[in-house]
Coordinates of all heavy atoms in Angstrom, one line a residue:
M1 N 36.7 81.6 91.4 CA 37.9 80.8 91.5 C 38.6 81.0 92.8 O 38.4 82.0 93.5 CB 38.9 81.3 90.4 CG 38.4 81.3 89.0 SD 38.2 79.6 88.4 CE 39.8 79.2 87.8
I2 N 39.3 80.0 93.3 CA 40.0 80.0 94.5 C 41.5 80.2 94.2 O 42.1 79.4 93.4 CB 39.8 78.7 95.3 CG1 38.3 78.5 95.6 CG2 40.7 78.7 96.6 CD1 38.0 77.1 96.2
E3 N 42.2 81.2 94.8 CA 43.6 81.3 94.6 C 44.4 80.4 95.5 O 44.2 80.4 96.7 CB 44.0 82.8 94.9 CG 43.4 83.7 93.9 CD 43.6 85.2 94.3 OE1 44.4 85.4 95.2 OE2 43.0 86.1 93.6
L4 N 45.3 79.6 94.9 CA 46.1 78.8 95.7 C 47.4 79.5 96.2 O 47.6 79.6 97.4 CB 46.5 77.5 95.0 CG 45.3 76.6 94.6 CD1 45.9 75.3 94.0 CD2 44.5 76.2 95.8
C5 N 48.1 80.0 95.2 CA 49.4 80.7 95.6 C 50.0 81.3 94.3 O 49.6 81.0 93.2 CB 50.4 79.8 96.2 SG 51.1 78.5 95.1
P6 N 50.9 82.3 94.5 CA 51.6 82.8 93.3 C 52.4 81.6 92.7 O 52.9 80.8 93.4 CB 52.6 83.8 94.0 CG 52.0 84.1 95.3 CD 51.3 82.9 95.7
V7 N 52.4 81.6 91.4 CA 53.0 80.5 90.7 C 54.5 80.3 91.0 O 55.0 79.2 91.1 CB 52.7 80.6 89.2 CG1 53.5 81.7 88.5 CG2 52.9 79.3 88.5
N8 N 55.2 81.4 91.3 CA 56.6 81.3 91.6 C 56.9 80.8 93.0 O 58.0 80.5 93.4 CB 57.4 82.6 91.3 CG 56.9 83.7 92.1 OD1 56.1 83.5 93.0 ND2 57.4 84.9 91.8
E9 N 55.9 80.6 93.8 CA 56.0 80.0 95.2 C 56.2 78.5 95.1 O 56.6 77.8 96.0 CB 54.8 80.4 96.1 CG 55.2 81.2 97.3 CD 54.0 81.6 98.0 OE1 53.2 80.8 98.4 OE2 53.9 82.8 98.2
L10 N 55.7 77.9 94.0 CA 55.8 76.5 93.7 C 57.0 76.2 92.9 O 57.0 76.4 91.6 CB 54.5 76.0 93.1 CG 54.4 74.5 92.8 CD1 54.4 73.7 94.1 CD2 53.1 74.2 92.0
E11 N 58.1 75.8 93.5 CA 59.3 75.7 92.8 C 59.4 74.3 92.0 O 58.7 73.4 92.4 CB 60.5 75.9 93.7 CG 60.6 77.3 94.2 CD 61.7 77.4 95.3 OE1 62.6 76.6 95.3 OE2 61.6 78.3 96.1
E12 N 60.2 74.3 91.0 CA 60.4 73.1 90.3 C 60.8 71.9 91.2 O 61.6 72.1 92.1 CB 61.6 73.3 89.2 CG 61.9 72.1 88.4 CD 60.9 71.6 87.6 OE1 60.0 72.4 87.1 OE2 60.9 70.3 87.3
G13 N 60.0 70.8 91.0 CA 60.3 69.6 91.8 C 59.7 69.7 93.2 O 60.0 68.7 94.0
Q14 N 58.9 70.7 93.5 CA 58.4 70.8 94.8 C 56.8 70.6 94.8 O 56.2 70.6 93.8 CB 58.6 72.3 95.4 CG 60.0 72.7 95.5 CD 60.7 72.0 96.6 OE1 60.3 71.9 97.7 NE2 61.9 71.4 96.2
S15 N 56.3 70.3 96.0 CA 54.8 70.2 96.2 C 54.4 71.1 97.3 O 55.2 71.3 98.3 CB 54.5 68.8 96.5 OG 55.2 68.2 97.6
L16 N 53.2 71.5 97.3 CA 52.6 72.4 98.3 C 51.2 71.9 98.5 O 50.4 71.6 97.6 CB 52.5 73.9 97.9 CG 53.8 74.7 97.8 CD1 53.5 76.0 97.2 CD2 54.4 74.8 99.2
G17 N 50.8 71.9 99.8 CA 49.4 71.5 100.2 C 48.6 72.7 100.5 O 49.2 73.7 101.0
F18 N 47.3 72.6 100.3 CA 46.4 73.7 100.5 C 45.2 73.1 101.3 O 44.4 72.3 100.6 CB 46.0 74.4 99.3 CG 47.2 75.0 98.5 CD1 47.8 74.2 97.5 CD2 47.6 76.2 98.8 CE1 48.9 74.7 96.9 CE2 48.8 76.7 98.2 CZ 49.4 76.0 97.2
D19 N 45.0 73.5 102.5 CA 44.0 72.9 103.3 C 42.6 73.6 103.2 O 42.2 74.2 104.1 CB 44.4 72.9 104.8 CG 44.0 71.6 105.5 OD1 43.3 70.8 104.8 OD2 44.5 71.4 106.6
L20 N 42.1 73.6 102.0 CA 40.8 74.4 101.7 C 39.7 73.6 102.4 O 39.7 72.4 102.4 CB 40.5 74.4 100.2 CG 41.7 74.9 99.3 CD1 41.3 74.7 97.9 CD2 42.0 76.3 99.7
P21 N 38.8 74.3 103.0 CA 37.7 73.7 103.8 C 36.9 72.7 102.9 O 36.4 73.2 101.8 CB 36.8 74.8 104.2 CG 37.6 76.1 104.0 CD 38.7 75.8 103.1
G22 N 36.8 71.5 103.2 CA 36.1 70.5 102.5 C 36.7 70.1 101.2 O 36.2 69.2 100.5
K23 N 37.9 70.7 100.9 CA 38.5 70.3 99.6 C 40.0 70.5 99.6 O 40.5 71.4 99.0 CB 37.9 71.3 98.5 CG 38.2 71.0 97.1 CD 37.6 72.0 96.1 CE 37.9 71.6 94.7 NZ 37.3 72.6 93.8
P24 N 40.6 69.6 100.4 CA 42.1 69.8 100.5 C 42.7 69.4 99.2 O 42.3 68.4 98.6 CB 42.5 68.8 101.6 CG 41.4 67.9 101.7 CD 40.1 68.5 101.3
V25 N 43.7 70.1 98.7 CA 44.3 69.9 97.4 C 45.8 70.0 97.6 O 46.3 70.6 98.6 CB 43.8 70.8 96.3 CG1 42.3 70.6 96.1 CG2 44.2 72.2 96.5
F26 N 46.6 69.5 96.7 CA 48.0 69.8 96.6 C 48.5 70.1 95.2 O 47.8 69.6 94.3 CB 48.8 68.7 97.3 CG 48.9 67.4 96.6 CD1 49.9 67.0 95.8 CD2 47.8 66.5 96.7 CE1 49.9 65.8 95.2 CE2 47.7 65.3 96.1 CZ 48.8 64.9 95.3
A27 N 49.5 70.8 95.1 CA 50.0 71.2 93.7 C 51.5 70.8 93.6 O 52.2 70.8 94.7 CB 49.9 72.7 93.5
I28 N 51.9 70.4 92.4 CA 53.3 70.0 92.2 C 53.7 70.7 90.9 O 53.0 70.9 90.0 CB 53.4 68.5 92.0 CG1 52.9 67.7 93.2 CG2 54.8 68.0 91.5 CD1 52.8 66.3 92.9
R29 N 55.0 71.1 90.9 CA 55.6 71.5 89.6 C 56.6 70.6 89.2 O 57.6 70.2 89.9 CB 56.2 72.9 89.8 CG 56.7 73.5 88.4 CD 57.6 74.6 88.6 NE 56.8 75.8 89.0 CZ 56.4 76.8 88.2 NH1 56.7 76.7 86.9 NH2 55.8 77.8 88.7
K30 N 56.5 70.1 87.9 CA 57.5 69.2 87.4 C 57.7 69.5 85.9 O 56.8 69.7 85.1 CB 57.0 67.7 87.5 CG 58.1 66.7 87.0 CD 57.5 65.3 87.0 CE 58.6 64.4 86.5 NZ 58.1 63.1 86.1
D31 N 59.0 69.7 85.5 CA 59.3 70.1 84.2 C 58.6 71.3 83.7 O 58.1 71.5 82.6 CB 59.1 68.9 83.2 CG 60.0 67.7 83.5 OD1 61.1 68.0 84.1 OD2 59.6 66.6 83.3
G32 N 58.4 72.3 84.7 CA 57.7 73.5 84.4 C 56.2 73.5 84.4 O 55.6 74.5 84.4
E33 N 55.7 72.3 84.4 CA 54.2 72.1 84.4 C 53.7 72.1 85.9 O 54.4 71.6 86.7 CB 53.8 70.9 83.7 CG 54.0 70.8 82.2 CD 53.0 71.7 81.5 OE1 51.8 71.8 81.9 OE2 53.5 72.4 80.6
V34 N 52.5 72.6 86.0 CA 51.8 72.6 87.4 C 50.7 71.5 87.3 O 50.0 71.4 86.4 CB 51.2 73.9 87.7 CG1 50.4 73.9 88.9 CG2 52.3 75.0 87.9
Y35 N 50.7 70.7 88.4 CA 49.6 69.7 88.5 C 48.9 69.9 89.8 O 49.6 70.1 90.8 CB 50.2 68.3 88.4 CG 51.0 68.0 87.2 CD1 52.4 68.3 87.1 CD2 50.4 67.6 86.0 CE1 53.1 68.1 85.9 CE2 51.1 67.4 84.8 CZ 52.5 67.6 84.8 OH 53.2 67.4 83.7
V36 N 47.6 69.7 89.8 CA 46.8 69.9 91.1 C 46.0 68.7 91.3 O 45.3 68.3 90.3 CB 46.0 71.2 91.1 CG1 45.3 71.3 92.5 CG2 46.8 72.4 90.8
Y37 N 46.0 68.1 92.5 CA 45.2 66.9 92.8 C 44.5 67.1 94.1 O 45.0 67.9 95.0 CB 46.0 65.7 92.9 CG 46.6 65.2 91.6 CD1 48.0 65.5 91.3 CD2 45.9 64.5 90.7 CE1 48.5 65.1 90.1 CE2 46.4 64.1 89.5 CZ 47.7 64.4 89.2 OH 48.3 64.0 88.0
R38 N 43.3 66.4 94.3 CA 42.8 66.4 95.7 C 43.7 65.6 96.6 O 44.3 64.6 96.2 CB 41.4 65.6 95.6 CG 40.3 66.2 94.9 CD 39.8 67.4 95.7 NE 39.1 67.0 96.9 CZ 37.8 67.1 97.0 NH1 37.0 67.6 96.1 NH2 37.2 66.8 98.2
N39 N 43.9 66.1 97.8 CA 44.7 65.4 98.8 C 44.0 64.3 99.5 O 43.6 64.4 100.6 CB 45.2 66.5 99.8 CG 46.2 65.8 100.8 OD1 46.6 64.7 100.6 ND2 46.6 66.6 101.8
E40 N 43.7 63.2 98.7 CA 43.0 62.0 99.2 C 43.5 60.8 98.5 O 43.5 60.7 97.3 CB 41.5 62.1 98.8 CG 40.6 63.0 99.6 CD 39.2 63.2 99.1 OE1 38.9 62.5 98.0 OE2 38.5 64.0 99.6
C41 N 44.0 59.9 99.3 CA 44.4 58.6 98.7 C 43.3 57.8 98.3 O 42.3 57.7 99.0 CB 45.2 57.8 99.8 SG 45.9 56.3 99.1
P42 N 43.2 57.3 97.0 CA 42.1 56.5 96.5 C 41.9 55.2 97.4 O 40.8 54.6 97.4 CB 42.4 56.2 95.1 CG 43.8 56.6 94.8 CD 44.3 57.4 96.0
H43 N 42.9 54.9 98.1 CA 42.8 53.6 99.0 C 41.9 53.8 100.1 O 40.8 53.2 100.2 CB 44.2 53.2 99.4 CG 44.3 52.0 100.2 ND1 45.2 51.9 101.3 CD2 43.6 50.9 100.3 CE1 45.1 50.7 101.9 NE2 44.1 50.1 101.3
L44 N 42.2 54.7 101.0 CA 41.3 54.9 102.2 C 40.8 56.4 102.4 O 40.2 56.7 103.4 CB 42.2 54.6 103.5 CG 42.6 53.2 103.7 CD1 43.3 52.9 105.0 CD2 41.3 52.2 103.7
G45 N 41.2 57.2 101.4 CA 40.7 58.6 101.5 C 41.4 59.5 102.4 O 41.0 60.7 102.6
V46 N 42.5 59.0 103.0 CA 43.3 59.9 103.9 C 44.2 60.9 103.1 O 44.4 60.7 101.9 CB 44.2 59.0 104.9 CG1 43.3 58.1 105.7 CG2 45.2 58.2 104.1
S47 N 44.7 61.8 103.9 CA 45.6 62.8 103.2 C 46.9 62.1 103.0 O 47.3 61.2 103.7 CB 45.7 64.1 104.0 OG 46.0 63.8 105.3
L48 N 47.7 62.6 102.0 CA 48.8 61.9 101.5 C 50.1 62.2 102.1 O 51.1 61.4 102.1 CB 48.9 62.1 99.9 CG 47.7 61.5 99.1 CD1 47.6 62.3 97.8 CD2 47.9 60.0 98.8
E49 N 50.3 63.4 102.5 CA 51.6 64.0 102.8 C 52.3 63.4 104.0 O 51.6 63.0 105.0 CB 51.6 65.5 102.9 CG 50.9 66.1 104.2 CD 49.5 66.3 103.9 OE1 48.8 65.5 103.3 OE2 49.0 67.4 104.4
F50 N 53.6 63.3 103.9 CA 54.5 62.8 105.0 C 54.5 63.9 106.1 O 54.4 63.6 107.3 CB 55.9 62.5 104.6 CG 55.9 61.2 103.7 CD1 55.6 61.3 102.4 CD2 56.3 60.0 104.3 CE1 55.7 60.1 101.6 CE2 56.3 58.9 103.5 CZ 56.0 58.9 102.2
Q51 N 54.9 65.0 105.7 CA 54.9 66.2 106.6 C 54.3 67.3 105.7 O 54.2 67.2 104.6 CB 56.3 66.6 107.0 CG 56.9 65.6 107.9 CD 58.3 66.0 108.4 OE1 58.7 67.2 108.4 NE2 59.1 65.0 108.7
E52 N 54.1 68.5 106.4 CA 53.5 69.6 105.6 C 54.2 69.8 104.3 O 55.5 69.9 104.2 CB 53.7 70.9 106.5 CG 52.7 71.9 106.1 CD 52.8 73.2 106.9 OE1 53.5 73.1 107.9 OE2 52.2 74.2 106.5
N53 N 53.5 69.8 103.3 CA 54.0 70.1 101.9 C 54.9 69.0 101.3 O 55.6 69.2 100.3 CB 54.7 71.4 101.8 CG 53.8 72.6 102.2 OD1 52.7 72.6 101.8 ND2 54.3 73.5 102.9
E54 N 55.0 67.8 102.0 CA 55.9 66.8 101.4 C 55.0 65.6 100.9 O 54.5 64.7 101.6 CB 56.8 66.2 102.5 CG 57.9 67.3 102.8 CD 58.9 66.7 103.8 OE1 59.0 65.5 104.0 OE2 59.6 67.5 104.3
F55 N 54.8 65.7 99.6 CA 53.9 64.7 98.9 C 54.6 63.8 98.0 O 54.1 62.9 97.4 CB 52.9 65.5 98.0 CG 51.9 66.2 98.8 CD1 52.1 67.5 99.3 CD2 50.6 65.7 99.1 CE1 51.2 68.2 100.0 CE2 49.7 66.3 99.9 CZ 50.0 67.6 100.3
L56 N 56.0 64.0 97.9 CA 56.7 63.2 96.8 C 57.6 62.2 97.5 O 57.9 62.3 98.7 CB 57.6 64.2 96.0 CG 56.8 65.2 95.2 CD1 57.8 66.2 94.5 CD2 55.8 64.6 94.3
D57 N 58.0 61.2 96.7 CA 58.9 60.2 97.2 C 60.3 60.8 97.4 O 60.5 62.0 97.0 CB 58.9 58.9 96.4 CG 59.5 59.1 95.0 OD1 59.7 60.3 94.6 OD2 59.6 58.1 94.2
L58 N 61.3 60.0 97.8 CA 62.6 60.6 98.2 C 63.3 61.3 97.0 O 63.9 62.3 97.2 CB 63.5 59.4 98.7 CG 63.3 59.1 100.2 CD1 64.2 58.1 100.7 CD2 63.4 60.4 101.1
D59 N 63.2 60.7 95.8 CA 63.9 61.3 94.7 C 63.0 62.3 93.9 O 63.3 62.8 92.9 CB 64.6 60.3 93.8 CG 63.6 59.3 93.3 OD1 62.4 59.4 93.5 OD2 64.1 58.3 92.6
G60 N 61.8 62.5 94.5 CA 60.9 63.5 93.8 C 60.3 63.1 92.5 O 59.8 63.9 91.7
A61 N 60.4 61.8 92.2 CA 59.9 61.3 90.9 C 58.4 61.0 90.9 O 57.8 61.0 89.8 CB 60.7 60.1 90.4
L62 N 57.9 60.6 92.0 CA 56.5 60.1 92.1 C 55.9 60.7 93.3 O 56.5 61.1 94.3 CB 56.5 58.6 92.2 CG 57.0 57.8 91.0 CD1 57.2 56.3 91.4 CD2 56.1 57.9 89.8
I63 N 54.5 60.7 93.3 CA 53.7 61.1 94.5 C 53.6 59.9 95.3 O 53.4 58.8 94.8 CB 52.3 61.6 94.1 CG1 52.4 62.8 93.2 CG2 51.4 61.9 95.3 CD1 51.1 63.1 92.4
Q64 N 53.8 60.0 96.6 CA 53.7 58.8 97.5 C 52.8 59.1 98.7 O 52.8 60.1 99.3 CB 55.1 58.5 98.1 CG 55.1 57.2 98.9 CD 56.5 56.6 99.1 OE1 57.5 57.3 99.2 NE2 56.5 55.3 99.2
C65 N 51.9 58.1 98.9 CA 51.0 58.2 100.1 C 51.8 57.8 101.3 O 52.4 56.7 101.4 CB 49.8 57.2 99.9 SG 48.7 57.2 101.3
S66 N 51.8 58.6 102.4 CA 52.6 58.3 103.6 C 52.0 57.2 104.4 O 52.7 56.6 105.2 CB 52.7 59.6 104.4 OG 51.4 60.0 104.8
T67 N 50.7 56.8 104.2 CA 50.1 55.8 105.0 C 50.5 54.4 104.7 O 50.9 53.6 105.5 CB 48.5 56.0 105.0 OG1 48.3 57.4 105.4 CG2 47.9 55.1 106.0
H68 N 50.3 54.1 103.4 CA 50.7 52.7 103.0 C 51.7 52.7 101.8 O 51.8 51.6 101.2 CB 49.5 51.8 102.7 CG 48.5 51.7 103.9 ND1 47.3 52.3 103.8 CD2 48.6 51.2 105.1 CE1 46.6 52.1 105.0 NE2 47.4 51.5 105.7
G69 N 52.2 53.8 101.5 CA 53.2 53.9 100.5 C 52.8 53.8 99.0 O 53.7 53.6 98.2
A70 N 51.6 53.9 98.6 CA 51.2 53.8 97.2 C 52.0 54.9 96.5 O 52.2 56.0 97.0 CB 49.7 54.1 97.1
L71 N 52.3 54.6 95.2 CA 53.1 55.5 94.4 C 52.2 55.9 93.2 O 51.6 55.0 92.5 CB 54.3 54.8 93.9 CG 55.4 54.6 95.0 CD1 56.4 53.6 94.5 CD2 56.0 55.9 95.4
F72 N 52.2 57.2 92.8 CA 51.4 57.8 91.8 C 52.2 58.6 90.8 O 53.1 59.3 91.2 CB 50.3 58.7 92.4 CG 49.5 58.1 93.4 CD1 49.9 58.1 94.8 CD2 48.3 57.5 93.1 CE1 49.1 57.6 95.7 CE2 47.5 56.9 94.1 CZ 47.9 57.0 95.5
E73 N 51.9 58.5 89.5 CA 52.6 59.2 88.5 C 52.2 60.7 88.7 O 51.0 61.0 88.8 CB 52.1 58.8 87.1 CG 53.2 58.7 86.1 CD 52.6 58.0 84.9 OE1 51.5 58.2 84.5 OE2 53.4 57.2 84.3
I74 N 53.2 61.6 88.6 CA 52.9 63.0 88.8 C 52.0 63.6 87.7 O 51.1 64.3 88.0 CB 54.2 63.8 88.9 CG1 55.0 63.5 90.2 CG2 54.0 65.4 88.9 CD1 56.3 64.1 90.4
E75 N 52.3 63.2 86.5 CA 51.5 63.8 85.3 C 50.1 63.3 85.3 O 49.2 64.1 84.8 CB 52.2 63.4 84.0 CG 53.6 64.0 83.8 CD 54.7 63.1 84.5 OE1 54.4 62.2 85.3 OE2 55.9 63.5 84.2
S76 N 49.8 62.1 85.7 CA 48.5 61.5 85.4 C 47.7 61.2 86.7 O 46.5 61.0 86.7 CB 48.6 60.2 84.6 OG 49.2 59.2 85.4
G77 N 48.5 61.1 87.9 CA 47.8 60.6 89.1 C 47.6 59.2 89.2 O 47.0 58.7 90.2
H78 N 48.0 58.5 88.1 CA 47.8 57.0 88.1 C 48.6 56.3 89.1 O 49.7 56.6 89.3 CB 48.2 56.5 86.6 CG 47.8 55.2 86.4 ND1 46.5 54.7 86.2 CD2 48.6 54.0 86.4 CE1 46.5 53.4 86.0 NE2 47.8 53.0 86.1
C79 N 47.9 55.3 89.8 CA 48.7 54.6 90.9 C 49.4 53.4 90.2 O 48.9 52.6 89.7 CB 47.7 54.1 91.9 SG 48.5 53.2 93.2
L80 N 50.8 53.5 90.4 CA 51.6 52.5 89.8 C 51.9 51.3 90.7 O 52.2 50.2 90.2 CB 53.0 53.2 89.4 CG 52.9 54.4 88.5 CD1 54.3 55.0 88.3 CD2 52.4 53.9 87.1
A81 N 51.8 51.5 92.0 CA 52.1 50.4 92.9 C 51.5 50.8 94.3 O 51.3 51.9 94.6 CB 53.6 50.4 93.1
G82 N 51.1 49.7 95.0 CA 50.5 49.9 96.3 C 49.1 49.4 96.3 O 48.6 48.8 95.3
P83 N 48.4 49.5 97.4 CA 47.1 48.9 97.5 C 46.0 49.4 96.7 O 45.0 48.7 96.4 CB 46.7 49.2 99.0 CG 47.7 50.2 99.5 CD 48.9 50.1 98.6
C84 N 46.2 50.6 96.0 CA 45.3 51.1 95.1 C 45.8 51.1 93.7 O 45.4 51.9 92.8 CB 44.8 52.5 95.5 SG 46.2 53.6 96.0
Q85 N 46.7 50.2 93.4 CA 47.3 50.1 92.0 C 46.2 50.0 90.9 O 45.3 49.3 91.1 CB 48.2 48.8 91.9 CG 49.0 48.7 90.6 CD 50.0 47.6 90.7 OE1 50.1 46.9 91.6 NE2 50.7 47.5 89.6
G86 N 46.4 50.8 89.9 CA 45.4 50.8 88.8 C 44.3 51.9 89.0 O 43.7 52.3 88.1
D87 N 44.2 52.4 90.3 CA 43.3 53.5 90.5 C 44.0 54.9 90.3 O 45.2 54.9 89.8 CB 42.8 53.4 92.0 CG 41.4 53.9 92.2 OD1 41.0 54.8 91.4 OD2 40.8 53.5 93.2
H88 N 43.5 55.9 90.6 CA 44.2 57.2 90.3 C 43.7 58.3 91.3 O 42.6 58.2 91.9 CB 44.0 57.7 88.9 CG 42.5 57.8 88.5 ND1 41.8 58.9 88.8 CD2 41.7 56.9 87.9 CE1 40.5 58.7 88.3 NE2 40.5 57.5 87.8
L89 N 44.6 59.2 91.5 CA 44.2 60.5 92.3 C 43.2 61.3 91.5 O 43.1 61.2 90.2 CB 45.4 61.3 92.5 CG 46.6 60.7 93.4 CD1 47.8 61.6 93.3 CD2 46.1 60.4 94.8
T90 N 42.5 62.1 92.1 CA 41.5 63.0 91.5 C 42.2 64.3 91.1 O 42.6 65.1 91.9 CB 40.3 63.3 92.4 OG1 39.7 62.1 92.8 CG2 39.3 64.2 91.7
K91 N 42.2 64.5 89.8 CA 42.9 65.7 89.3 C 41.9 66.9 89.4 O 40.7 66.8 89.3 CB 43.2 65.5 87.8 CG 44.3 66.4 87.2 CD 44.8 65.9 85.9 CE 46.2 66.3 85.7 NZ 46.9 65.6 84.7
V92 N 42.5 68.1 89.7 CA 41.7 69.3 89.9 C 42.1 70.2 88.8 O 43.3 70.5 88.7 CB 42.0 69.9 91.3 CG1 41.2 71.2 91.4 CG2 41.6 69.0 92.4
D93 N 41.2 70.7 88.0 CA 41.5 71.7 87.0 C 42.1 72.9 87.6 O 41.7 73.3 88.6 CB 40.2 72.0 86.2 CG 39.8 70.9 85.3 OD1 40.6 70.1 84.9 OD2 38.6 70.8 85.1
H94 N 43.0 73.5 86.9 CA 43.6 74.8 87.4 C 43.9 75.7 86.2 O 44.0 75.2 85.1 CB 44.8 74.6 88.2 CG 46.0 74.2 87.4 ND1 46.2 72.9 87.0 CD2 47.0 75.0 86.9 CE1 47.3 72.9 86.2 NE2 47.8 74.1 86.2
V95 N 43.9 77.0 86.5 CA 44.4 78.0 85.6 C 45.5 78.8 86.2 O 45.6 78.9 87.5 CB 43.3 78.9 85.1 CG1 42.3 78.2 84.2 CG2 42.7 79.6 86.2
I96 N 46.4 79.4 85.4 CA 47.4 80.4 85.9 C 47.0 81.7 85.3 O 47.0 81.9 84.1 CB 48.8 79.9 85.6 CG1 49.1 78.6 86.3 CG2 49.8 81.0 86.0 CD1 50.4 77.9 85.9
E97 N 46.6 82.6 86.2 CA 46.1 83.9 85.8 C 46.7 84.9 86.7 O 46.8 84.7 88.0 CB 44.6 84.0 86.1 CG 43.7 84.0 84.9 CD 42.2 84.0 85.3 OE1 41.9 84.4 86.4 OE2 41.5 83.5 84.5
D98 N 47.2 86.0 86.1 CA 47.9 87.1 86.9 C 49.0 86.5 87.8 O 49.1 86.8 89.0 CB 46.9 87.8 87.8 CG 45.8 88.4 86.9 OD1 46.0 88.8 85.8 OD2 44.6 88.4 87.5
D99 N 49.7 85.4 87.3 CA 50.8 84.8 88.1 C 50.3 84.1 89.3 O 51.1 83.8 90.2 CB 51.9 85.8 88.4 CG 52.7 86.2 87.2 OD1 52.8 85.3 86.3 OD2 53.1 87.3 87.1
L100 N 49.0 83.8 89.3 CA 48.5 83.0 90.5 C 47.9 81.7 90.0 O 47.3 81.6 88.9 CB 47.3 83.8 91.1 CG 47.7 85.0 91.8 CD1 46.4 85.9 92.1 CD2 48.4 84.8 93.1
I101 N 48.1 80.6 90.8 CA 47.5 79.3 90.5 C 46.1 79.3 91.1 O 45.9 79.6 92.2 CB 48.3 78.1 91.1 CG1 49.7 78.2 90.6 CG2 47.6 76.8 90.8 CD1 50.6 77.2 91.3
K102 N 45.0 79.1 90.2 CA 43.7 79.2 90.7 C 43.0 77.9 90.3 O 43.2 77.3 89.3 CB 42.9 80.4 90.0 CG 43.6 81.7 90.3 CD 42.8 82.8 89.6 CE 43.5 84.1 89.8 NZ 42.7 85.2 89.1
I103 N 42.0 77.5 91.2 CA 41.1 76.3 90.9 C 39.7 76.8 90.9 O 39.4 77.8 91.6 CB 41.4 75.2 91.8 CG1 41.1 75.5 93.3 CG2 42.9 74.6 91.6 CD1 41.1 74.3 94.2
P104 N 38.8 76.1 90.3 CA 37.4 76.5 90.4 C 36.9 76.4 91.8 O 37.3 75.5 92.6 CB 36.7 75.4 89.5 CG 37.7 74.8 88.7 CD 39.0 74.9 89.4
A105 N 36.0 77.3 92.2 CA 35.4 77.3 93.6 C 34.6 76.1 93.8 O 34.0 75.6 92.9 CB 34.7 78.6 93.8
Ligands
FES201 S1 45.9 55.1 102.5 FE1 47.2 55.6 100.9 S2 48.1 53.7 100.3 FE2 46.8 53.2 101.9

């Protein structure tokens, strides 16, 4: 398993990026739940964030791609609007063990 971070480092309503070699991912906490996705827009495959660790739209309700503005549901990764509408982000399975967020190697 790969350790991303202590679970309490990811605060409610926040996102964090992890530049793992060959497998960039980001994590979000919403309503107490943790979600992890590959950091790749289904449109062009580019990374999504506006600035380091900023993956959400202005009100923190949706994931937004900084390149062409596609909007994704936090819970499902489903693209609601933008050039990849109907497509989805790639979800990454994770576990929380010993207060750490971990993903498969
Ligand atoms: S690269 Fe993400 S919407 Fe175009």
